[in-house]
Amino acid sequence: MDITIQHIADRLGLSVSTVSRALNGSYGVHPRTIARVQEAAAELGYVPNLGAKQLVTRRSNLIGVFMPELDSESNRGFDDIFAALRKGLRLYQKEILIFSVPFGEEEYRPGSLSEWVRMRSLEGCVFMQPFGKGHPLIREAIKLQVPSVNMGSAVGPRCSLAVSDNYEGGRMAGSYLLELGHEKLGYINGPEHLSICEDRYRGFCAAFRNGTGTEHDPALKRTGDFSGASGAGVILELMESYPELTAVCCANDMMAMGAIMELARHGISVPEDLSLVGYDGTYFTAYTNPPLSTIRHRFEQIGIRAAELLLELINGGAGRTLKVMPELVRRDSVRSI
């Protein structure tokens, strides 16, 4: 049964208009009444009707873009996508409101998205990586059926997925190293609970299997947290444990850059002593020493297509998945053997 404002009013002995004004934070309603109404709404499981038809009727032309607050040093790939997304939405006369949301699930206050959508009359939402299907923010968006595009891993009836094809990117990285004669390959993964890390490593392993006829040994894999410090923290131990390695693939550029820095501090040259390839392809990878070979997301295409997917949803379309093929950028951090 769908819970309505009438149910809340009956429970509290208030008028429907008072409950409505309390839920909307209207001036003139006593704070204690607002608190009572919000508490009852939460207990009853009240969810505002924020479907696409209602949002379109409002015509606020406002789109909420939700960016994660990340505690650790990280490669903020969503910064590269944002410019293209903004350009795409402006083509449809849409303006952007930016929301900064703690990424930790325990820090997210249930019902926050509902409040933001209602108070700002948002026509739709875009959720940047690494918000994925397990995060309460995304689960709430799917429950509300607010038109949404997710850059992480979620898709639903009113939520589309616009993402770089991480499996294919991992496969490209592995194939690139094998093509240049490397078969003793290490791997530095990011947080393994993230689907993008799982997909990148699966693609890498598929390339290794196709190129060598054997499975990649998981003992040759280490795990970081996407920070440069974590790449620096595992690279020497990996090399000392397996001195036969000729190349290491990193699940993002920051970890690869941290590894290069740590190797240089110990007199180990890239790529003469060890080849390294990164992942993400942000602009600064061209200016490392040596310039970093990497898998680059097609940021511009992802941003434009995300805007198109969102407009489909606002106009009544169903959620769907769109994957954009990344590209290999060959630079000086990898040599042939």
Side-chain angles (χ1 to χ4, degrees), residues 232-304:
V234 299
I235 187 63
L236 291 178
E237 186 274 326
L238 183 60
M239 287 191 66
E240 290 169 359
S241 299
Y242 300 96
E244 69 274 18
L245 294 179
T246 63
V248 173
C249 182
C250 300
N252 83 331
D253 292 331
M254 292 294 290
M255 292 191 298
M257 292 165 62
I260 290 175
M261 177 193 70
E262 187 67 10
L263 291 170
R265 288 181 61 236
H266 288 81
I268 302 171
S269 177
V270 175
E272 287 76 12
D273 300 320
L274 184 73
S275 290
L276 276 170
V277 61
Y279 202 113
D280 285 330
T282 47
Y283 70 91
F284 51 75
T285 54
Y287 306 107
T288 58
N289 185 21
L292 183 65
S293 292
T294 185
I295 303 299
R296 181 184 182 274
H297 304 299
R298 299 182 188 271
F299 299 108
E300 300 84 0
Q301 188 176 348
I302 294 171
I304 293 293

Side-chain angles (χ1 to χ4, degrees), residues 4 13-14 31 40 46 73 84 100 106 117 126 128 149 180 201 206-207 213 222 225 236 264 276 280 319:
T4 67
L14 299 173
Y46 170 73
E73 173 190 69
S100 181
E106 66 284 352
V117 172
V126 178
M128 295 297 191
V149 173
L180 295 180
Y201 185 58
R222 297 293 183 272
D225 61 7
L236 291 178
L276 276 170
D280 285 330

Side-chain angles (χ1 to χ4, degrees), residues 16 29 62 118 131 168 170 186 203 279 287 321 332 337:
V16 170
V29 181
L62 291 176
R118 183 180 68 246
F131 288 123
E168 284 300 315
Y279 202 113
Y287 306 107
T321 297
D332 298 340
I337 60 172

Side-chain angles (χ1 to χ4, degrees), residues 10 15 25 36 39 64 83 98 109 148 198 227 241 273 315 327:
D10 292 342
S15 68
R36 288 179 60 213
E39 181 178 357
I98 298 174
R109 182 173 60 83
S148 304
E198 178 186 352
S227 69
S241 299
D273 300 320
N315 289 304
E327 60 181 336

Side-chain angles (χ1 to χ4, degrees), residues 55-175:
L55 287 170
V56 171
T57 302
R58 291 178 179 180
R59 291 295 179 189
S60 70
N61 290 321
L62 291 176
I63 304 299
V65 176
F66 295 81
M67 295 187 173
E69 296 173 4
L70 301 172
D71 294 332
S72 63
E73 173 190 69
S74 63
N75 183 4
R76 297 166 57 92
F78 47 78
D79 290 343
D80 296 283
I81 294 174
F82 181 75
L85 174 67
R86 184 176 183 182
K87 178 180 179 181
L89 289 172
R90 279 189 168 178
L91 292 175
Y92 298 101
Q93 289 78 51
K94 305 299 180 184
E95 295 296 331
I96 286 175
L97 288 179
I98 298 174
F99 296 81
S100 181
V101 182
F103 182 65
E105 295 184 19
E106 66 284 352
E107 300 176 82
Y108 179 75
R109 182 173 60 83
S112 295
L113 178 64
S114 172
E115 293 178 13
W116 293 326
V117 172
R118 183 180 68 246
M119 298 299 290
R120 298 292 188 172
S121 298
L122 300 180
E123 288 192 31
C125 300
V126 178
F127 303 102
M128 295 297 191
Q129 281 188 0
F131 288 123
K133 57 187 176 183
H135 197 282
L137 175 68
I138 306 301
R139 293 200 301 266
E140 190 170 330
I142 292 175
K143 182 179 180 181
L144 289 173
Q145 295 198 23
V146 57
S148 304
V149 173
N150 179 231
M151 303 288 193
S153 59
V155 63
R158 306 289 294 152
C159 180
S160 288
L161 176 64
V163 67
S164 183
D165 194 326
N166 288 291
Y167 176 87
E168 284 300 315
R171 188 192 60 77
M172 286 180 184
S175 298

